[in-house]
């Protein structure tokens, strides 16, 4: 080819937006509404502290594997950092940064005195024995020990971790400091100082908010139809609670596929099947369905309760649910948000919809600090009251300023964090 010949056109790949891009774009929109300058924007979009650690594991067969672990503290202006710990092979530092930022807004929105944090280890927990997961958890905990503590940063369960993981973290931390410290984690077993209602708190909160959203749109909960993506800690109980409330949950999915029954799923049978097989696929009380097709079912309510980024520019126009209640963190991209808004679909954002988990984590922390435990009814009553109070506040704020629920929730939260930051001032 001579210099005068045209060079062949190179395809320009469209970069795929990451959860961190989405989180930063949501923050930028809120900053626009609030009229803050670029200095405050940089401060709020950057984590205060992050730690990356190597997590070596001695396998049961004597060999060694190595994983990477992260802990990110996004903001500490309103109190100690608070956020879940995720075990998933897809965990990246950027994902953990995004999840930590959403935790900051969630804690501020629901008005609990915490900043936001998140942790993760790049491991698929399904591939390892309980003994191996215990060793991974204890090693990860001892690596991040310098930056966690009941007054510094308090982990909780997220994808791939549960109350047993929290018990191992509590024990490792306590052994290291020399005395028992229940307040180092929330989402612990009740026998170790966990709170009644914590295990199902996120799902209860999602259900309260979903029912409020149905009422808001004039749809009766009795006979309304729903689909739930993700059948783990959040999705499973949300599907059951929605069914208890009279909603017809016609489809659920997990990472392996989905199942559909137009008359509504029988969760007593389906849960027993999943407990035995580890997946929804193959359940004989429903038809098989493609996992992605679940998102496009003609239902009143869609609850994404699995991973980030599942509702995006490529599928949003085909999503016909009238209401989307985000059980997962970050399931909707900003481009999908715009499409849903143009189509008149109501999106209830994660920082409001799934805040029940961190709210009852806060109750657990308060109970632990006072060494005085509340009963299940007290926890449920306070959860409902606080969730519906936050819902009302966001709905009114959105209506008064002509904002989407996501924009209203983010603006409210960012304003609270910025105010705390400005009142404290910048050190030195
Ligand atoms: P989990 O590990 O208990 O369950 C995750 C579920 O999602 C599993 O059923 C898994 O098979 C399924 N899944 C994974 N990838 C999928 C895919 N591509 N399509 C369909 N299903 C898929 O996790 P969890 O604690 O239920 O968390 C789910 C979401 O809720 C995450 O976004 C998490 O950050 C968020 N969340 C959890 C809590 C909590 O208290 N556990 C609180 C707030 C938000």
């Amino acid at each position: 080819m001579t210099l005068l010949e045209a060079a062949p056109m190179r395809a320009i790949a469209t970069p795929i937006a990451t959860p961190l891009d989405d989180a930063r774009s949501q923050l930028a929109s809120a900053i626009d509404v609030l009229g803050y300058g670029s200095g405050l924007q940089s401060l709020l979009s950057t984590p205060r502290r992050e730690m990356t650690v190597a997590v070596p594991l001695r396998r049961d067969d004597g060999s060694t594997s190595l994983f990477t672990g992260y802990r990110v503290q996004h903001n500490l202006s309103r109190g100690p950092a608070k956020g879940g710990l995720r075990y998933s092979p897809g965990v990246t530092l950027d994902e953990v940064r995004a999840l930590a930022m959403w935790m900051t807004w969630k804690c501020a929105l629901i008005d609990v005195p915490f900043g936001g944090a998140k942790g993760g280890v790049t491991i698929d927990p399904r591939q390892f024995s309980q003994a191996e997961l215990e060793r991974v958890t204890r090693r990860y905990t001892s690596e991040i020990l310098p930056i966690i503590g009941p007054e510094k940063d308090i982990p909780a369960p997220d994808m791939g971790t549960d109350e047993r993981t929290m018990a191992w973290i509590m024990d490792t931390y306590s052994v290291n400091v020399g005395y028992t410290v229940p307040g180092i984690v929330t989402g612990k077993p009740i026998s170790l100082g966990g709170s009644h209602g914590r295990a199902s708190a996120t799902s209860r909160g999602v259900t309260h908010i979903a029912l409020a959203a149905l009422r808001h749109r004039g749809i009766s909960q009795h006979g309304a139809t729903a689909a739930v993506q993700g059948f783990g800690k959040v999705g499973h109980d949300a599907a059951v609670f929605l069914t208890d409330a009279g909603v017809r949950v016609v489809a659920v999915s997990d990472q392996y596929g989905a199942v559909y029954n137009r008359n509504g799923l029988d969760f007593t049978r389906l849960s027993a099947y999943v407990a035995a097989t580890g997946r929804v696929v193959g359940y004989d009380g429903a038809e098989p369905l493609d996992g992605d097709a679940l998102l496009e079912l003609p239902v009143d309510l869609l609850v994404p309760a699995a991973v980030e980024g599942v509702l995006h520019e490529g599928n949003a126009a085909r999503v016909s649910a009238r209401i989307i209640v985000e059980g997962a963190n970050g399931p909707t991209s900003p481009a999908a948000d715009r499409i849903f808004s143009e189509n008149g679909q109501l999106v209830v954002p994660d920082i409001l919809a799934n805040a029940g988990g961190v709210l009852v984590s806060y109750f657990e922390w308060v109970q632990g600090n006072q060494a005085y435990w509340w009963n299940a009814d007290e926890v449920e009553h306070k959860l409902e009251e606080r969730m519906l109070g936050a819902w009302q506040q966001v709905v009114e704020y959105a209506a008064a300023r002509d904002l989407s629920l996501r924009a209203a929730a983010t603006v409210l939260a960012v304003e609270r964090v910025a105010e705390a930051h400005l009142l404290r001032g910048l050190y030195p």
Side-chain angles (χ1 to χ4, degrees), residues 106-286:
K106 196 179 299 183
C107 292
L109 181 67
I110 205 81
D111 205 9
V112 294
F114 295 132
K118 206 77 181 189
V121 179
T122 52
I123 184 172
D124 180 355
R126 288 173 175 253
Q127 308 301 324
F128 296 86
S129 70
Q130 284 299 308
E132 289 172 329
L133 291 174
E134 177 175 351
R135 290 198 286 278
V136 164
T137 303
R138 289 185 182 280
R139 182 61 188 247
Y140 167 76
T141 306
S142 48
E143 294 293 343
I144 64 162
L145 209 78
I147 63 165
I148 59 169
E151 283 92 27
K152 290 186 193 174
D153 180 357
I154 307 135
D158 190 75
M159 267 179 69
T161 59
D162 56 16
E163 59 177 37
R164 190 164 7 188
T165 324
M166 296 305 115
W168 293 328
I169 296 179
M170 174 187 153
D171 186 65
T172 307
Y173 185 87
S174 300
V175 166
N176 273 274
V177 298
Y179 53 94
T180 298
V181 187
I184 177 61
V185 284
T186 57
K188 301 179 284 294
I190 289 177
S191 53
L192 290 181
S195 175
H196 283 288
R198 172 60 185 91
S200 57
T202 307
S203 316
R204 285 236 179 258
V206 165
T207 307
H208 287 309
I209 295 291
L211 298 179
L214 286 169
R215 284 194 294 276
H216 183 70
R217 280 288 162 108
I219 304 170
S220 166
Q221 69 197 57
H222 299 285
T225 52
V228 178
Q229 183 196 41
F231 205 56
K233 294 185 293 298
V234 179
H236 175 275
D237 285 1
V240 171
F241 297 149
L242 285 167
T243 304
D244 291 347
V247 174
R248 186 152 48 95
V249 179
V250 294
V252 297
S253 66
D254 59 22
Q255 67 202 85
Y256 307 107
V259 288
Y260 172 79
N261 184 329
R262 61 192 296 275
N263 299 316
L265 293 159
D266 173 345
F267 287 102
T268 309
R269 286 193 61 225
L270 178 56
S271 304
Y273 176 81
V274 172
T277 64
R279 55 190 69 196
V280 298
V281 177
Y283 168 61
D284 66 5

Side-chain angles (χ1 to χ4, degrees), residues 60-146:
D60 291 342
D61 65 8
S63 64
T64 303
S65 297
L66 186 74
F67 306 97
T68 306
Y70 307 101
R71 188 73 191 171
V72 173
Q73 296 168 354
H74 171 258
N75 194 282
L76 305 161
S77 295
R78 303 179 76 254
K82 185 86 193 78
L85 169 62
R86 175 172 291 195
Y87 285 178
S88 161
V91 164
T92 62
L93 180 55
D94 273 356
E95 181 188 55
V96 178
R97 286 172 172 151
L99 291 163
M101 192 191 299
W102 284 320
M103 279 305 295
T104 299
W105 313 144
K106 196 179 299 183
C107 292
L109 181 67
I110 205 81
D111 205 9
V112 294
F114 295 132
K118 206 77 181 189
V121 179
T122 52
I123 184 172
D124 180 355
R126 288 173 175 253
Q127 308 301 324
F128 296 86
S129 70
Q130 284 299 308
E132 289 172 329
L133 291 174
E134 177 175 351
R135 290 198 286 278
V136 164
T137 303
R138 289 185 182 280
R139 182 61 188 247
Y140 167 76
T141 306
S142 48
E143 294 293 343
I144 64 162
L145 209 78

Side-chain angles (χ1 to χ4, degrees), residues 20-39:
L20 187 58
D21 296 329
D22 292 352
R24 286 187 172 152
S25 148
Q26 291 157 4
L27 171 63
S29 306
I31 296 270
D32 259 3
V33 174
L34 289 163
Y36 294 159
S38 59

